[in-house]
Amino acid sequence: MKAAYLYGPKDLRFVDIEDPVPGPGEVVVKPKVALTCGTDVKQYMRGYPLLEPPFPFGHEASGVVVAVGEGVTKFKVGDRVVPHATAPCNTCYFCKRGQHSMCDNFLSNQGAFAELRCSALRSQSGLAAAGRGRGWPAPEPVKTLHIE
């Protein structure tokens, strides 16, 4: 499959990689809509100190679940979801004090600009269901993928 990887400042490449296979507590999502935010622009222009290049680019996308890993019961193939960009662990020193942005063990759901992306769930509420949107009709309500 094709995926956008950032190799360094101003060095974005579309590369061929293996299709992701979900591990325990993970889902594979086929992005339908991906957006570029200010963080993506900063990563592109100057890199990002918490991620060692090369790494999958982009983190804001919505899509459809195409595979679920062992232990995932809240989400199923065909669910429309929006994976959170990052997820705190809720167990480290900072999380226990409500400072989730300082989490020592946060998950980063990179890979919005790929044909498929694997998203880890911190819990069964780890994905947000996607809502109805223009250009993507929703015959039924969608679930939110929320990571706790």
Side-chain angles (χ1 to χ4, degrees):
M1 69 170 214
K2 293 284 188 189
Y5 269 69
L6 190 64
Y7 279 75
K10 299 182 182 178
D11 187 5
L12 183 64
R13 305 176 198 176
F14 282 91
V15 297
D16 290 307
I17 61 171
E18 295 291 321
D19 287 2
V21 176
E26 295 179 334
V27 298
V28 175
V29 176
K30 179 177 182 60
K32 293 289 189 176
V33 176
L35 303 171
T36 303
C37 78
T39 300
D40 294 324
V41 174
K42 288 186 276 187
Q43 286 178 354
Y44 174 77
M45 296 301 288
R46 62 180 185 230
Y48 187 66
L50 299 179
L51 298 173
E52 182 72 27
F55 58 85
F57 189 68
H59 58 270
E60 297 196 19
S62 63
V64 177
V65 174
V66 296
V68 297
E70 181 182 338
V72 175
T73 57
K74 186 174 180 184
F75 300 96
K76 65 186 183 313
V77 172
D79 283 349
R80 292 177 296 164
V81 297
V82 179
H84 285 260
T86 60
C89 71
N90 290 322
T91 60
C92 72
Y93 172 87
F94 294 107
C95 285
K96 287 180 180 179
R97 283 152 185 80
Q99 297 175 312
H100 297 100
S101 65
M102 301 296 292
C103 178
D104 285 330
N105 305 301
F106 78 95
L107 290 177
S108 178
N109 280 320
Q110 296 290 114
F113 298 104
E115 293 178 285
L116 298 170
R117 70 189 285 202
C118 195
S119 294
L121 308 179
R122 287 283 191 189
S123 71
Q124 286 301 301
S125 63
L127 288 176
R132 295 182 185 195
R134 294 170 60 192
W136 189 14
E140 60 191 66
V142 293
K143 299 176 184 174
T144 298
L145 190 59
H146 173 75
I147 300 176
E148 294 179 358

